[in-house]
Structure formats: structure tokens, C-alpha cells
Amino acid sequence: MAHSALLRTFGKTWMKPLTLVALIAPFAFIAWQLFQVLSDPLSDAMGTDPVAYIHQFLGDTAIRILLITLAISPIRDITGWAPIALIRRRIGLAAFFYAGLHMIAYLWLDRGWDLGLLWEDMVVRTYIMLGMASLVLMVPLAVTSNNSMIRRLGRRAWDRLHWLIYPLAILAVAHNLLMVKIIYGDPLIHAAILALLLGWRVARWVIGKLRAPAAAA
Ligand code: HEM
């Protein structure tokens, strides 16, 4: 009893601000590291290759937060704790924020703000094309992730639009898988987690379909 009261209080008062702090933490961390490197070029805060470090850090943060967004519904359904759904939108927005920073870092540090070079990269390197496609699909979701857009679009249309999270997550994982020569380690773990999260949804849908005629009978 005391347990559930505690959980209710946590859901009402602490969950949203704590999530916000957790989502801002990677940004504060990399900003601090960047500050150290810029103020002391001999600092090894970002290792021997700060540019590669930034791409890695922002890319990994974006994809992991995206996977956490997709994990919210299974966690809610398995635990039955509905309030967790209240933090899904802000987590999804954070994934877009870090993916956007990751793209900006690439355009700035690797391509000197030259959009033509970015376009050439997309044509030549499939994994860049996949990353860009994933980021572009995130835009309508980020733009509509507020209450007034849900009201304007209507819940059904909004839900249908937000189905885009599935193809864009597949594109992000494909971007991650195609950039490596041998598939192992983090890219493989990201792909396995996505397969699990999508597989869970398919299984739930199939079970729902099988149960429906049985309930009607
Ligand atoms: C225009 C869009 C994008 C561009 C130009 C881009 C570019 C890059 C580049 C250059 C790398 C480093 C590759 C290497 O180490 O050889 C990288 C890595 C990565 N990117 Fe992207 N990316 C884009 C979008 C995305 C998106 C939308 C996500 C996920 C939501 C993502 C997730 C990752 C991950 C997980 C890595 C691997 C990081 C690591 O090495 O640990 N990227 N990306």
C-alpha cells in the first residue's frame, strides 16, 4: 500500500523533472568536455580524435534515447504503471534534439557547413543517406509533439502520424549497422534491442487478433 502511494507521488511530482535532468545530462557532459578541449588544446577530455568522439557520443546518445522512447509502451503494459507514458513525448523530443546536434556536428566539423558536400556524401555513402532519412522522419513527430497539435490533428491522425517512429528507428539502426565493416558490439546490441521492441509489438497485435474472435464467440 505504502509502496503504491510512493509510486503515485513519484509519478506526480518527481518523474517529469527527473527525466528532464537525465535527458539534459549528456548535453551538459559533452558541453563540459568541449569546453575543456577548447580552453586547453592539450586536454585529453575527448581522447585523441575529438571529432570522432563527438560523432560517436551524439550518435549513440540519439539512438539510445530513441530506443528508450520505444520501450515506454512495453514497460507500461508489462508493469501496468500508466503514468510512465507521460514522459514518452519528452524522451522522443530529446532523441530528435541529439540526432539534430549529431547532424549539425557532422555538417560543421566534417563538411564546413557546405550543404553540397553533405548531399554528395548522401549519394556516395548509403549510411549517411539512411541517417538523414531517419532524421527527416523525426521532424513531423517533433513538430507535432505538443498538446495543441494533438487537438488540431485529432488523436487518430496523430497516432497514425507517430507510427513513423517505427520506420525511422529501423533507418537509424541501419545507419548504425552499415557504417561498420564487421557487425558486432554496440550496433548489434542496438539492432537486437530494436528487434525485441518491434517483435513485442507484433506479438501483442497477433495475440489481440487471435483473442478478438474468441471473445466475440
Ligand atoms: C543527417 C543525418 C546524419 C548524419 C550526417 C550522420 C553521420 C554520422 C557519422 C559521420 C557517424 C560516424 C561514423 C564513423 O564513425 O565512421 C555517425 C555515427 C552514428 N550515428 Fe549518425 N548521422 C546522421 C543521423 C543519425 C541519426 C538520426 C541517428 C540515430 C537516431 C544516428 C546515430 C548514429 C550512431 C548510433 C552512430 C555510431 C556512433 C558510434 O560510433 O558509436 N545518426 N553518424
Side-chain angles (χ1 to χ4, degrees), residues 66-138:
L66 184 62
L67 292 173
I68 293 172
T69 315
L70 282 167
I72 298 292
S73 294
I75 293 173
R76 181 199 54 198
D77 293 352
I78 291 165
T79 63
W81 196 51
I84 196 170
L86 296 174
I87 52 173
R88 188 171 34 202
R89 266 191 276 157
R90 66 181 55 196
I91 300 178
L93 277 171
F96 175 64
F97 172 72
Y98 286 104
L101 279 186
H102 174 60
M103 193 275 273
I104 290 169
Y106 182 71
L107 189 57
W108 174 28
L109 302 170
D110 290 54
R111 295 295 169 248
W113 299 114
D114 188 332
L115 288 174
L117 285 180
L118 181 65
W119 177 255
E120 269 174 36
D121 272 347
M122 279 200 291
V123 176
V124 176
R125 292 147 89 187
T126 313
Y127 83 85
I128 298 280
M129 170 75 87
L130 296 173
M132 182 56 96
S134 174
L135 185 64
V136 166
L137 290 185
M138 281 184 187

Side-chain angles (χ1 to χ4, degrees), residues 1 15 20 42 101 103 141 214:
M1 206 62 175
M15 185 177 61
L20 198 61
L42 293 177
L101 279 186
M103 193 275 273
L141 305 200

Side-chain angles (χ1 to χ4, degrees), residues 10 22 24 30 34 45 57 65 68 83 90 99 111 124 156 159 163 173 181 194 196-198 210 213:
F10 175 79
I24 291 171
I30 199 159
L34 195 59
F57 184 87
I65 295 181
I68 293 172
R90 66 181 55 196
R111 295 295 169 248
V124 176
R156 265 177 81 92
D159 279 347
W163 262 70
V173 165
K181 288 196 177 71
L194 180 65
L196 210 69
L197 293 170
L198 296 184
L210 292 176

